[in-house]
């Protein structure tokens, strides 16, 4: 099709940046994106492992615009699908979805649109993709407009080893077989080796390009805080520090979710609960109120989150222990998807361990218990660690952090003071030795503290020389020391699920006085460490005021349009507006996140609001620092110029729809633009020689009459021609004929 050829092939790959700005409003690619897009355009099968927020969706959305036929996107969640499709439509991209939420009528209509080539991206749930009626439809689409790409989002759902196994995903192999030439792009944020292998084999990726992005999320600040009786007050303080920011608080159980959200509301913080015990309707309502910024705080169990596209979550707080480290990475990773600073805070009480351990003993299967216990230990190791939090998380995904100090976690920013615990460590280790390395931590501590338990009596351990030598320490203090020894590899724990303590070479070095043991002073004793970390990059006072003003405007617009606020603009764009205060459409176009469609839709209302605010508060306008420099050689301005001489991209999209047989009104509706704008596009396209057959715009006999009038009156001014022709000829018809006439003359 003319559109794709013009953009991707003839004008070459540098055009990708122009398309990126035009349709998505981004000024550049994120790491990896460009390479992936190029490979997609070349028809290469790919597996993309990229963390949440890395920008995976763009890697199939952008090629979908450039490739000739239809891109199918398989996505497991209805909410996720709707959200993405709305974002795309907002940007003037022809996308739609079919899933079980539609009436049969709606479904047929959308399927027809796809069949007629009026759609570039079609989102489907996996079960629909494989239904009786859908495969034949795909065959027809393939025959008529062509299938260009199969994108499989959340591809880990194909693996039983992942955390969201969906059997329907297995059936995707059938689609792969049916269309052998159709390239596939599998995407996931879950990257363990096992899952990776499963995706490759289950989805039959052929000689795939595997792209593994770093799982490091440098914009996320990680901190672990001790949980104690004042933790609730700390939590409230944290929330009050940034009163409007979107925050997710995770708890383990429904009960604690309900309890905490009620308590927060009583204390004047509006919060909504979310857990599997609520009705589907309530859940959907709470989720959408959170997404729409009606309520800033959502208190949830892990039931909440997968597929939540809200990019401006500023903090994810775990008020209770997460179940495993991967879960923690995914949940905390819902913060800061917009790459702006965000906080991930875990409130941790060593006592939580007992709760989780109890839950584990309730599991029927022994193997399951073992896995769960091992996962619990990893979480504990993370929470109690005195080294970089980021390093621990990344090492879980097999990745090594290249820098020594990440500068964005509590342990790197404010290392804990250490104390010498060699003597206590020696007592502990020698007790393990006296008990013949056949007991777990609990029993060792009982012996040290001189407890009178049945187990001690049964084994005669009250007679050991280490019995009762540790009464100066509490059970908790001993546990902390024991775990520190494990973390520092000065002691071992059998991994068969029984947690028997064993000595190793390091233990003997400690016992032989060859090694000192340094342990961090517990976090509860240290001063709270959050104060020093700014929640988001601070704006100056003036810009902050304007930012809040623009946020309020965004909220009003979003509510009117029935979309979430980030559907209007992300925080990043509003911040840039508040700082740079664009004063014209040209300046507004430079704000990150402003593409053609958003420029048309919002430039006027936002620049107007900015102007009024700046006048009221006497602030300078138009502080666009990059403008002068960018004009000369900037890649974006440069490539936009190239496009300007030929039809612009927005005109090309109109052209494509026109060539697919849509009427002017249908194009306007499809692109959510005014009919006048589309008429302008069409007139320019006619004049540029892109459209030469006017039959569908002006009937041949009317064409002739109009042309004759032009010949009589000249074609410079339209009004006299219109007056001569009378009311039944429209301005549009006249200008289309004139455009054609100008070209041929
Ligand atoms: P993922 O699917 O990997 O979790 P998304 O595709 O949802 O990530 O993208 C996360 C956020 O990053 C979105 O808000 C998106 O608009 C933004 N984004 C993606 N690519 C870019 C880019 N090249 N420049 C700026 N922002 C981007
Ligand atoms: Zn760190």
């Amino acid at each position: 099709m003319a559109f794709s050829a013009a953009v991707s092939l003839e004008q070459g790959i540098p055009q990708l940046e122009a398309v990126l700005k035009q349709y998505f409003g981004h000024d550049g690619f994120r790491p990896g994106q460009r390479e992936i897009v190029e490979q997609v355009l070349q028809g290469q099968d790919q597996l993309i492992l990229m963390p949440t927020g890395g920008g995976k969706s763009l890697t199939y959305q952008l090629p979908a615009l450039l490739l000739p036929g239809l891109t199918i996107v398989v996505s497991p969640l209805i909410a996720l699908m709707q959200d993405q499709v709305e974002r795309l439509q907002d940007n003037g991209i022809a996308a739609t979805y079919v899933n079980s939420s539609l009436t049969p009528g709606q479904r047929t209509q959308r399927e027809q649109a796809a069949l007629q080539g009026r759609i570039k991206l079609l989102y489907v749930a996996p079960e629909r993709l494989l239904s009786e009626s859908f495969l034949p439809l795909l065959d027809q689409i393939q025959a008529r407009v062509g299938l260009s790409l199969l994108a499989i989002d959340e591809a880990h759902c194909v693996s039983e080893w992942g955390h969201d196994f969906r059997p329907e995903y297995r059936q995707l192999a059938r689609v792969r077989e049916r269309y052998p030439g159709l390239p596939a792009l599998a995407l996931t944020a879950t990257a363990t080796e096992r899952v990776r292998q499963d995706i490759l084999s289950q989805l039959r990726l052929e000689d795939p390009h595997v792209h593994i992005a770093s799982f490091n999320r440098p914009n996320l600040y990680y901190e672990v805080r001790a949980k104690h009786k004042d933790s609730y007050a700390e939590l409230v303080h944290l929330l009050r520090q940034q009163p409007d920011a979107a925050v997710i608080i995770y708890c383990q159980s429904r009960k604690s979710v309900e309890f905490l959200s009620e308590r927060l509301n009583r204390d004047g913080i509006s919060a909504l609960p979310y857990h599997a015990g609520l009705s589907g309707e309530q859940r959907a309502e709470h989720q959408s109120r959170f997404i729409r910024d009606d309520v800033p705080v959502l208190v949830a169990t892990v039931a909440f989150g997968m597929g939540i596209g809200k990019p401006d979550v500023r903090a994810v707080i775990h008020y209770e222990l997460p179940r495993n480290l991967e879960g923690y990475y995914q949940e905390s990773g819902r913060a800061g998807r917009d790459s702006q600073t965000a906080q991930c805070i875990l409130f941790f009480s060593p006592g939580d361990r007992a709760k989780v351990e109890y839950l584990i003993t309730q599991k029927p299967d022994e193997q399951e218990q073992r896995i769960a216990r091992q996962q619990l230990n990893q979480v504990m190791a993370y929470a109690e660690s005195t080294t970089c939090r980021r390093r621990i998380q990344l090492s879980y995904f097999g990745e090594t952090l290249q820098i020594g100090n990440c500068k964005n976690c509590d342990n790197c920013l404010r290392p804990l003071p250490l104390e010498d615990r060699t003597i206590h460590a020696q007592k502990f280790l020698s007790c393990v030795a006296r008990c013949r390395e056949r007991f777990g931590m609990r029993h060792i501590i009982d012996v040290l503290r001189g407890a009178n338990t049945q187990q001690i009596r049964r084994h005669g351990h009250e007679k050991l020389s280490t019995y009762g030598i540790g009464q100066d320490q509490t059970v908790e203090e001993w546990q902390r020391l024991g775990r520190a020894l494990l973390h520092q590899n000065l002691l071992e724990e059998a991994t068969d699920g029984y947690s028997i303590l064993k000595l190793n070479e390091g233990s003997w070095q400690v016992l032989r006085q060859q090694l000192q043991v340094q342990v961090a002073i517990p976090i509860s004793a240290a001063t709270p460490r959050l104060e020093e970390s700014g929640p988001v990059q601070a704006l100056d006072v003036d810009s902050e005021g304007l930012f809040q003003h623009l946020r309020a405007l965004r909220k009003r617009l979003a509510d009117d349009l029935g979309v979430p606020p980030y559907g209007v603009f992300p925080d990043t764009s509003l911040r840039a507006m508040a700082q740079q205060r664009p004063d014209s459409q040209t300046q507004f176009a430079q704000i990150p996140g402003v593409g053609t469609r958003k420029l048309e839709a919002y430039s006027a209302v936002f620049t107007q609001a900015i102007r009024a605010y700046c006048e009221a508060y006497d602030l300078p306008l138009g502080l666009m620092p990059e403008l002068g420099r960018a004009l000369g050689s900037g890649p974006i301005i440069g490539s936009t110029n190239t496009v300007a001489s030929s039809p612009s991209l927005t005109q090309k999209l109109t052209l494509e729809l026109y060539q697919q047989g849509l009427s002017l009104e249908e194009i306007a509706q499809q692109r959510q633009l005014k009919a006048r704008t589309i008429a302008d596009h069409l007139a320019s396209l006619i004049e540029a020689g892109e459209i030469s057959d006017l039959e569908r715009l002006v009937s041949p006999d009317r064409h002739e009459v109009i042309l004759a009038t032009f010949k009589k009156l000249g074609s410079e001014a339209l009004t006299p021609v219109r007056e001569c022709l009378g009311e039944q000829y429209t301005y549009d018809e006249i200008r289309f004929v004139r455009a054609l006439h100008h070209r041929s003359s």
Side-chain angles (χ1 to χ4, degrees), residues 455-520:
Q455 179 141 286
I456 288 182
R457 289 194 303 274
R458 173 147 35 104
H459 295 278
H461 282 173
E462 72 280 3
K463 297 190 201 92
L464 294 176
S465 61
T466 49
Y467 183 74
I469 60 168
Q471 289 179 8
D472 61 325
Q473 301 278 303
T474 64
V475 173
E476 234 175 62
E477 281 165 327
W478 278 118
Q479 278 177 338
R480 195 164 54 79
L481 176 66
R483 281 196 295 273
L485 292 171
L486 287 168
H487 297 162
Q488 296 183 26
N489 201 23
L490 299 174
L491 177 66
E492 258 156 56
E493 189 171 43
T495 50
D496 57 3
Y498 298 102
S499 309
I500 307 252
L501 295 178
K502 306 261 181 208
L503 301 181
N504 61 17
E505 183 47 35
S507 323
W508 288 109
Q509 289 184 341
V510 174
L511 286 169
R512 286 191 224 109
Q513 316 265 23
Q514 291 162 337
L515 206 63
Q516 299 229 310
V517 178
Q518 302 276 339
V519 176

Side-chain angles (χ1 to χ4, degrees), residues 386-413:
T386 51
T387 64
C388 177
R389 311 274 180 204
R390 200 174 298 278
R391 178 176 299 279
I392 301 173
Q393 292 195 22
L394 292 178
S395 76
Y396 185 80
F397 294 109
E399 185 179 334
T400 314
L401 190 65
Q402 293 306 326
I403 37 169
N405 183 321
C406 84
K407 298 205 176 74
N408 204 15
C409 79
D410 50 358
N411 286 334
C412 286
L413 287 174

Side-chain angles (χ1 to χ4, degrees), residues 251-266 271-279 282 286 299-301:
C251 296
Q252 268 171 12
S253 66
R254 297 175 191 185
K255 227 170 76 190
S256 19
V257 164
E258 288 290 348
F259 181 77
L260 185 60
S261 65
E262 268 169 38
R263 193 166 173 196
L264 287 171
N265 281 302
R266 272 205 307 278
L272 287 170
Y274 188 105
H275 57 70
L278 298 174
S279 71
Q282 274 173 313
H286 291 185
V299 187
T301 58

Side-chain angles (χ1 to χ4, degrees), residues 48-111:
I48 311 302
L49 308 162
M50 207 186 250
T52 306
K56 285 184 288 299
S57 13
L58 188 92
T59 62
Y60 53 84
Q61 290 171 348
L62 195 152
L65 289 178
L66 303 178
L67 291 166
L70 179 72
T71 290
I72 304 283
V73 184
V74 179
S75 174
L77 289 168
I78 292 182
L80 187 70
M81 245 182 245
Q82 292 174 343
D83 195 62
Q84 285 215 7
V85 166
E86 275 170 28
R87 295 291 75 71
L88 288 165
Q89 291 176 345
D90 278 352
N91 282 323
I93 295 167
T96 193
Y97 60 83
V98 285
N99 61 30
S100 55
S101 75
L102 301 179
T103 63
Q106 285 173 316
R107 206 167 61 222
T108 314
Q109 197 186 6
R110 291 179 185 198
E111 291 174 353

Side-chain angles (χ1 to χ4, degrees), residues 71 91-92 143 156 167 218 359 370 382 396 438 479 498 507 529 548 667:
T71 290
N91 282 323
H156 59 274
L359 292 177
R370 263 189 223 129
Y382 173 80
Y396 185 80
R438 273 163 47 194
Q479 278 177 338
Y498 298 102
S507 323
R529 297 198 284 172
Q548 294 303 343
I667 300 173

Side-chain angles (χ1 to χ4, degrees), residues 20 26 28-30 33 50-58 311 337:
L20 182 69
H26 303 321
F29 285 102
R30 293 251 183 93
Q33 283 180 331
M50 207 186 250
T52 306
K56 285 184 288 299
S57 13
L58 188 92
R337 288 177 69 145

Side-chain angles (χ1 to χ4, degrees), residues 26 38 125 160 179 186 189 210 222 234 249 303 306 414 446 506 528 532 545 634 665 731:
H26 303 321
E38 284 171 7
E160 281 173 295
Y179 309 105
V210 180
Y222 296 103
E234 260 181 50
I249 304 176
M306 180 174 155
R414 298 174 297 282
D446 283 344
E532 301 136 54
E665 286 72 24
Y731 258 117

Side-chain angles (χ1 to χ4, degrees), residues 450-740:
N452 178 14
T453 66
Q454 201 190 4
Q455 179 141 286
I456 288 182
R457 289 194 303 274
R458 173 147 35 104
H459 295 278
H461 282 173
E462 72 280 3
K463 297 190 201 92
L464 294 176
S465 61
T466 49
Y467 183 74
I469 60 168
Q471 289 179 8
D472 61 325
Q473 301 278 303
T474 64
V475 173
E476 234 175 62
E477 281 165 327
W478 278 118
Q479 278 177 338
R480 195 164 54 79
L481 176 66
R483 281 196 295 273
L485 292 171
L486 287 168
H487 297 162
Q488 296 183 26
N489 201 23
L490 299 174
L491 177 66
E492 258 156 56
E493 189 171 43
T495 50
D496 57 3
Y498 298 102
S499 309
I500 307 252
L501 295 178
K502 306 261 181 208
L503 301 181
N504 61 17
E505 183 47 35
S507 323
W508 288 109
Q509 289 184 341
V510 174
L511 286 169
R512 286 191 224 109
Q513 316 265 23
Q514 291 162 337
L515 206 63
Q516 299 229 310
V517 178
Q518 302 276 339
V519 176
I521 294 177
I523 41 181
S524 56
T527 40
R529 297 198 284 172
L530 187 84
E531 254 49 74
E532 301 136 54
S533 79
V536 259
Q537 292 122 301
L539 290 170
D540 62 85
V541 191
D542 292 338
S543 305
E544 178 65 32
L546 177 52
F547 173 64
Q548 294 303 343
H549 184 70
L550 296 176
R551 270 192 103 208
L553 169 65
R554 172 179 71 174
K555 173 76 179 130
R556 285 198 303 279
L557 289 172
D559 287 348
D560 286 350
L561 297 169
V563 299
Y566 61 80
V568 174
F569 277 120
D571 280 3
T572 16
S573 303
L574 293 194
R575 287 177 170 276
M577 287 178 214
Q579 283 172 316
Q580 304 178 5
R581 304 174 200 153
D583 192 24
S584 64
Q585 205 179 25
T586 327
Q587 290 186 354
F588 197 79
Q590 286 181 60
I591 297 291
V594 177
T596 306
R597 167 91 179 93
K598 300 243 158 138
L599 186 67
E600 277 168 10
Y602 301 122
S603 156
V605 53
F606 276 88
T607 45
Q608 176 54 34
I610 293 167
R611 207 172 298 131
Y613 187 91
C614 290
E615 270 165 27
Y617 290 89
D618 200 20
L619 303 178
L621 271 164
L623 310 174
M624 316 294 291
E626 301 299 326
L627 185 61
R629 249 175 296 147
L631 266 178
S633 57
I636 291 139
I637 304 277
S639 44
T640 312
N641 283 344
T642 338
V643 182
S645 55
S646 60
S648 70
L649 278 163
T650 178
Q651 290 172 355
K652 280 180 183 160
L653 201 58
T654 296
L655 174 62
E656 207 200 23
L657 296 174
Y658 178 74
Q659 287 171 338
Q660 284 160 11
L662 271 71
S663 70
L664 194 159
E665 286 72 24
E666 285 172 321
I667 300 173
Q669 198 182 13
Q670 174 96 19
R671 300 201 54 201
Q672 299 186 9
L673 292 175
K674 290 209 181 71
R676 263 232 350 252
T677 311
I678 302 300
D680 287 344
H681 291 171
L682 291 172
S684 309
L685 288 163
I686 297 167
E687 194 149 353
E690 297 283 342
I691 297 176
S692 43
D693 175 9
L694 289 201
E695 231 168 81
R696 282 195 292 123
L697 296 168
V698 188
S699 70
D701 47 345
R702 293 167 78 85
H703 190 146
E704 226 163 88
V705 176
I706 296 171
L707 202 59
T709 317
F710 271 135
K711 288 199 171 129
K712 209 160 61 191
L713 299 176
S715 64
E716 283 325 302
L718 287 186
T719 321
V721 178
R722 171 89 196 279
E723 270 163 15
C724 175
L725 284 166
E727 291 281 319
Q728 78 261 56
Y729 285 83
T730 69
Y731 258 117
D732 283 341
E733 287 175 292
I734 301 169
R735 62 204 274 235
F736 293 151
V737 173
R738 182 175 70 161
L740 191 71

